[in-house]
Amino acid sequence: MQHWRHEKDAQGLVWLTFDKAGESTNTFSKDALAELSQSLDEIAKLSPKGMIVRSAKSAFIAGADVEEFTRFASSDEALAFTRAGWDVFQKLRDLPFPTTAMVNGFCMGGGLELALACRYIVALDDPATRFAFPEVMLGIWPVWHGLQWLPKKVGPAAAMDMLLTGKAIDARRAKRMGLADECVPLRVLENAARMLTLEARPPKPLPFMQRMMLGPLRALVVSQARKQVARRARREHYPAPYAILDAWIKYDGDPFLAQDDPSCSIKTLFAHPTTRNLIRIFFLQERMKALGKGGWEAKHVHVVGAGVMGGDIAAICAMRGMTVTLQDTAPERLAPAIERAARLFERRLRDPRRVRDALDRMIPDVAGTGAARADLIIEAIFENLEAKRALFAKLEAAARPGAVLASNTSSLKLSDIAANFKDPSRLVGIHFFNPVPQMQLVEIVSAANTDAQAAKKAAAFVRQIDKLPLPVKDSPGFLVNRVLGPYMQQAFRMLDEGVKPETIDRAMEDFGMPMGPVELADTVGLDICLAAGKALAKKGAGGEQAEAPRVLLNKVALGHLGRKSGQGIYRYENGKPVKGQPDAYAQDLVDALVEPYIAEAKAVLAEGVVADADLADAGLIFGTGFAPFRGGPLNYAAQRK
């Protein structure tokens, strides 16, 4: 056995341990599934009082080996892999003695299906313990009984929320919804699993209404879920969530009964270009995560600037366990950032003790004394070159020799900010996007003389806060803002020509963008769009600079700055845009908006701002929301030919 081992203890319990050979993470390959099946046969012969499945890794199981199923030469191979997992998990479920999954860390996809095959689930009470079915984000559905068993375990409503979105839940929520039978701290984890297995209590039945939703009301559940899915995604763009609903209502989640039904078969999904592109994005994301490996860890972060960006950067760091000192010129400028952080912690952490601890780690620091103790200092003040230079003169003098100095600048060149440094190699760009808590991408900017180790530490910090680092060269607008600039300027020019904002936004939402360019401009702030547009504008052959769009100039002059002022291109009520009906549009309108975006992405790549086309696509998917099912703008452009 390479991947599994088992031993029987003095109480008659078998402990079955998954330890994927040569890997830091447990995943199910064909070999691992075959060994699991063999292990279960051997354990059954021991006639134990019960069995506990555990991981030897720092997390439980990440699911199927995605690389393996991308190498399948045919749909028949995919079905054979499906059958292997389906059969072995059914064998686990049919064992005649109690079985318990002892879950530590993430429990995803096939890992969650293995846990559901067990009679009980005991979860480690830790923020790192997460349960999810992310298959829908790869364009497929859980075919190893997950779609069959999860609704019966937690009820259809909660199950469909997990299955159709791919979102993860923590251990405490898993306990509340009935997915986990126990949620306990590390010191009693093994004992809790032992006692629960030996006790062998009967499973708790679902409430009456949940049982009705599994039976006579199943069609109603699917109808309501289908409406919610339709609000987020079109079937031709994202077939997987619709396939999940069809497979559940028609075949109770059995992939073999569904194998010839084009509405939900695994063969159909594997052949769909969306699945190919979503799997591509999965590997791009893994590549970006790997860019942040390096072993360095920031324990104390000092943030200067308590505006929306700086305050939210500080809050994310505190939420991830770092000590944070937040500096601004007066206490009244710090208070709103602390209030926003408290609301974020309540939404994300839910536990009052964790909220309190996170707030305790976020320390107001008007005097800026935290800079001398910090591992990382992030400047997040307004975009003014002289102000940033003056601030960094003080920060460089105060900082410890090994501390990383970083700017969150979005439009100024890093080399210009570092011009007066005693040691310019210390400065690196760590460019976040708004809203910081939601946006995954962070650009790591290196000027010509930026120290490579400083950039590596910056990337490691970005992974530490669970975001995706993208190395970019010091160039106006870097990658994301530079590519967005021509796209949004084109939208403003169309507004000048009389095209309705609603029509522009609808066209790009139908194309697959999460938000149209007009609403995006309002969200960013029209004043920021105007300033960025001027900074990034290309000069003509005679040295003249293109004039800014009239509608943008007029709105900024009137103080209509977008969502933050309640009025921009749209009027806002409770933070939501009030929109009229869009007009009909033709494909040439979509092309006119997309072409400047793609052309600029190609130019950025040609200039070496990013290392290669894959990273450019990844940055623009995670930084601008470019239609994921299209696999990135450069991939889309190549596929059109």
Side-chain angles (χ1 to χ4, degrees):
M1 290 277 181
Q2 284 188 300
H3 310 300
W4 297 88
R5 60 180 181 269
H6 62 271
E7 56 275 335
K8 190 174 181 181
D9 69 13
Q11 291 179 293
L13 291 177
V14 167
W15 295 79
L16 175 61
T17 305
F18 190 13
D19 190 4
K20 184 78 175 287
E23 302 287 347
S24 60
T25 303
N26 284 331
T27 57
F28 286 117
S29 59
K30 285 187 286 188
D31 289 346
L33 288 172
E35 278 193 17
L36 174 59
S37 182
Q38 183 183 339
S39 295
L40 295 178
D41 291 339
E42 293 175 7
I43 291 166
K45 294 174 185 175
L46 299 174
S47 300
K49 290 183 179 177
M51 181 182 75
I52 298 166
V53 186
R54 62 184 175 181
S55 165
K57 311 290 189 187
S58 59
F60 190 61
I61 304 170
D65 183 338
V66 179
E67 282 200 38
E68 184 157 313
F69 74 68
T70 59
R71 293 194 294 268
F72 294 149
S74 67
S75 58
D76 289 339
E77 281 192 58
L79 277 174
F81 190 53
T82 299
R83 173 61 75 182
W86 175 273
D87 287 348
V88 73
F89 289 166
Q90 188 64 58
K91 182 185 288 188
L92 170 56
R93 192 175 180 88
D94 291 341
L95 288 172
F97 43 80
T99 54
T100 298
M102 191 177 81
V103 176
N104 62 304
F106 46 77
C107 177
M108 307 289 182
L112 181 48
E113 286 171 303
L114 179 143
L116 287 167
C118 296
R119 191 182 300 182
Y120 311 111
I121 298 174
V122 175
L124 174 63
D125 184 7
D126 184 272
T129 302
R130 314 283 285 174
F131 297 85
F133 275 125
E135 281 84 348
V136 70
M137 299 166 75
L138 296 176
I140 55 177
W141 50 274
V143 291
W144 291 342
H145 296 281
L147 181 52
Q148 195 175 52
W149 291 339
L150 185 65
K152 295 178 176 71
K153 178 81 170 177
V154 302
M160 289 302 153
D161 188 44
M162 290 182 68
L163 289 160
L164 296 172
T165 65
K167 68 183 180 185
I169 61 169
D170 62 22
R172 293 188 181 188
R173 186 171 175 200
K175 173 70 167 67
R176 287 196 302 271
M177 68 192 284
L179 177 57
D181 298 275
E182 298 292 347
C183 173
V184 297
L186 181 61
R187 67 181 182 277
V188 296
L189 180 64
E190 285 195 7
N191 196 49
R194 180 191 305 276
M195 297 305 294
L196 185 62
T197 311
L198 290 171
E199 185 182 337
R201 67 193 186 207
K204 187 178 179 181
L206 282 173
F208 172 75
M209 185 51 68
Q210 298 284 3
R211 296 199 303 274
M212 291 291 287
M213 291 164 71
L214 283 170
L217 298 179
R218 185 177 288 216
L220 178 63
V221 173
V222 169
S223 174
Q224 293 301 315
R226 204 184 302 276
K227 289 177 185 176
Q228 292 179 9
V229 169
R231 292 191 198 105
R232 298 194 306 268
R234 294 162 62 168
R235 186 164 198 150
E236 62 267 31
H237 293 167
Y238 295 100
Y242 296 92
I244 287 170
L245 294 171
D246 286 342
W248 185 61
I249 195 167
K250 293 180 183 180
Y251 309 106
D252 195 34
D254 187 325
F256 304 104
L257 294 177
Q259 65 182 337
D260 295 320
D261 186 336
S263 74
C264 54
S265 79
I266 290 300
K267 288 190 291 186
T268 301
L269 289 175
F270 265 106
H272 200 283
T274 290
T275 304
R276 183 171 61 251
N277 284 331
L278 292 180
I279 290 172
R280 177 175 186 269
I281 290 169
F282 169 81
F283 286 114
L284 292 178
Q285 187 174 29
E286 292 302 299
R287 181 181 171 193
M288 293 174 79
K289 289 178 181 178
L291 294 171
K293 288 182 179 176
W296 186 79
E297 191 175 276
K299 295 180 179 176
H300 180 173
V301 178
H302 183 74
V303 180
V304 186
V308 172
M309 289 293 286
D312 286 356
I313 292 168
I316 289 292
C317 293
M319 194 166 68
R320 291 287 169 182
M322 301 171 214
T323 298
V324 183
T325 41
L326 178 59
Q327 180 182 348
D328 214 310
T329 53
E332 56 269 22
R333 297 183 68 89
L334 293 165
I338 303 296
E339 290 170 7
R340 272 197 324 277
R343 291 194 295 271
L344 176 68
F345 298 158
E346 286 167 5
R347 286 197 312 272
R348 294 282 183 91
L349 301 177
R350 295 189 179 93
D351 181 349
R353 289 172 298 177
R354 291 182 187 168
V355 172
R356 178 203 63 205
D357 291 346
L359 281 170
D360 285 347
R361 291 191 292 268
M362 192 164 165
I363 304 164
D365 184 13
V366 174
T369 56
R373 303 188 302 274
D375 304 303
L376 168 65
I377 300 172
I378 302 175
E379 167 273 310
I381 66 171
F382 54 97
E383 289 289 87
N384 179 281
L385 180 59
E386 293 308 318
K388 290 181 188 288
R389 282 177 173 174
L391 174 62
F392 272 114
K394 297 175 184 175
L395 293 174
E396 187 183 20
R400 295 189 296 107
V404 177
L405 298 175
S407 174
N408 182 52
T409 184
S410 59
S411 59
L412 298 173
K413 287 194 69 175
L414 205 65
S415 56
D416 291 340
I417 298 171
N420 297 337
F421 267 56
K422 291 179 180 176
D423 180 5
S425 71
R426 295 188 70 181
L427 185 63
V428 63
I430 302 182
H431 179 218
F432 290 83
F433 296 91
N434 194 29
V436 172
Q438 277 78 49
M439 296 298 288
Q440 286 184 279
L441 186 78
V442 180
E443 291 176 319
I444 306 299
V445 187
S446 294
N449 54 4
T450 298
D451 177 60
Q453 285 304 311
K456 283 184 178 179
K457 288 179 178 179
F461 157 73
V462 169
R463 284 304 302 140
Q464 197 179 341
I465 57 173
D466 198 28
K467 295 190 180 293
L468 299 174
L470 177 70
V472 294
K473 289 185 179 177
D474 190 20
S475 175
F478 315 128
L479 169 67
V480 170
N481 285 346
R482 176 165 164 188
V483 172
L484 275 179
Y487 167 66
M488 295 173 75
Q489 291 294 308
Q490 177 72 329
F492 282 122
R493 279 192 288 271
M494 288 182 174
L495 291 176
D496 280 352
E497 293 165 4
V499 182
K500 279 184 179 180
E502 293 89 349
T503 305
I504 295 169
D505 281 351
R506 172 63 62 82
M508 294 317 298
E509 287 162 8
D510 288 349
F511 178 79
M513 296 295 204
M515 181 184 291
V518 179
E519 187 179 345
L520 176 61
D522 268 354
T523 302
V524 170
L526 299 185
D527 52 337
I528 294 171
C529 290
L530 180 60
K534 288 178 178 176
L536 297 174
K538 294 181 173 64
K539 294 184 178 180
E544 73 282 357
Q545 193 155 328
E547 188 177 342
R550 292 189 306 278
V551 67
L552 185 57
L553 289 167
N554 293 340
K555 286 289 184 180
V556 172
L558 290 169
H560 296 170
L561 306 182
R563 179 171 291 161
K564 61 188 174 185
S565 67
Q567 176 73 56
I569 306 298
Y570 297 116
R571 181 171 56 84
Y572 288 80
E573 292 181 0
N574 300 317
K576 302 287 185 183
V578 178
K579 294 187 179 183
Q581 283 298 313
D583 292 333
Y585 65 88
Q587 181 62 35
D588 59 355
L589 183 139
V590 176
D591 293 341
L593 285 161
V594 171
E595 288 310 321
Y597 185 113
I598 292 173
E600 201 66 25
K602 289 179 178 177
V604 167
L605 178 64
E607 293 169 24
V609 175
V610 285
D612 54 53
D614 282 350
L615 283 180
D617 274 347
L620 293 168
I621 290 165
F622 294 111
T624 76
F626 187 90
F629 73 93
R630 299 186 188 276
L634 298 176
N635 181 70
Y636 167 68
Q639 288 180 343
R640 286 188 310 178
K641 294 176 181 177

